[in-house]
Amino acid sequence: MPKINFTTKDMDLDEKPKKKFEPGDYHFKITICDLQIEDTSGVQSKWESVAVKAPEELAQLSGSRTRLSLALECWPLGAPSYESFSVLETIWFTEKAAWKYKQFCNSLKLNSDENLDTDVFWDKEGLVYLSRKGDDKYLTVRKFLTESKQIPANPSQGSASPVGEDVPF
């Protein structure tokens, strides 16, 4: 078995206060992009990466649901990219959710009317509006943007006033 060469023996592990990011426009960079398909052939359905499936296996799953699982590295406008945090996002490939895929592609200056390879998304950068749902602790994607409608009041702070709420849900 492989051995983990890491210990916490000499580390200060007291929880340090973390910077709290506020709702607003952020830069993002795609760090993980995985096209997944639902495999309902077993007792329990499970999601599997399309990248590890053989073409004949994919053909058997053709009626299944698909989604794009993303990890976005986000940082405030006007701030250096090392002041970042990760946001996980899922884009479903259904007619009801097509608006989100189009919005996502537009933010990256890609055409959602074309069949795109997931490789085109890797390391792409864009803009996104993040907010909290109710009392949630974490920011989530509210809208992918083609341009920012806010200017940071202070370059070291990335949030100002939020953009309009014209998301169809």
Side-chain angles (χ1 to χ4, degrees), residues 69-89:
S69 293
L70 303 166
L72 309 175
E73 198 66 25
C74 300
W75 64 95
L77 300 180
S81 61
Y82 61 79
E83 289 185 18
S84 65
F85 56 95
S86 292
V87 173
L88 302 178
E89 180 63 20

Side-chain angles (χ1 to χ4, degrees), residues 149-162:
K149 294 185 171 106
Q150 70 183 34
I151 300 171
N154 176 341
S156 66
Q157 295 178 337
S159 60
S161 59

Side-chain angles (χ1 to χ4, degrees), residues 130-143:
L130 303 176
S131 67
R132 288 185 180 79
K133 292 181 182 175
D135 293 333
D136 281 357
K137 181 178 176 181
Y138 302 103
L139 292 171
T140 59
V141 173
R142 181 75 174 151
K143 183 177 183 182

Side-chain angles (χ1 to χ4, degrees), residues 6-134:
F6 178 82
T7 67
T8 59
K9 187 170 96 179
D10 298 324
M11 294 182 187
D12 177 15
L13 299 177
D14 292 334
E15 192 164 325
K16 295 168 180 55
K18 296 180 181 172
K19 181 176 180 175
K20 185 173 180 177
F21 293 96
E22 296 300 323
D25 293 0
Y26 287 84
H27 292 283
F28 75 86
K29 180 178 183 177
I30 300 169
T31 56
I32 296 175
C33 178
D34 187 25
L35 182 62
Q36 298 176 333
I37 192 162
E38 185 179 28
D39 182 352
T40 56
S41 61
V43 176
Q44 273 188 313
S45 69
K46 60 183 175 182
W47 288 93
E48 296 190 39
S49 177
V50 170
V52 297
K53 289 283 195 189
E56 57 275 3
E57 291 177 293
L58 288 175
Q60 294 173 353
L61 300 173
S62 62
S64 298
R65 298 182 305 163
T66 55
R67 67 184 182 189
L68 190 61
S69 293
L70 303 166
L72 309 175
E73 198 66 25
C74 300
W75 64 95
L77 300 180
S81 61
Y82 61 79
E83 289 185 18
S84 65
F85 56 95
S86 292
V87 173
L88 302 178
E89 180 63 20
T90 301
I91 297 176
W92 295 91
F93 294 111
T94 66
E95 193 170 330
K96 279 186 171 182
W99 64 269
K100 191 172 196 177
Y101 179 64
K102 184 173 184 80
Q103 198 180 75
F104 171 67
C105 288
N106 287 345
S107 75
L108 300 171
K109 297 176 180 42
L110 297 171
N111 186 350
S112 63
D113 293 335
E114 297 175 3
N115 289 324
L116 299 171
D117 190 302
T118 54
D119 288 346
V120 302
F121 298 119
W122 282 96
D123 291 329
K124 282 276 195 192
E125 294 186 15
L127 295 170
V128 66
Y129 175 67
L130 303 176
S131 67
R132 288 185 180 79
K133 292 181 182 175

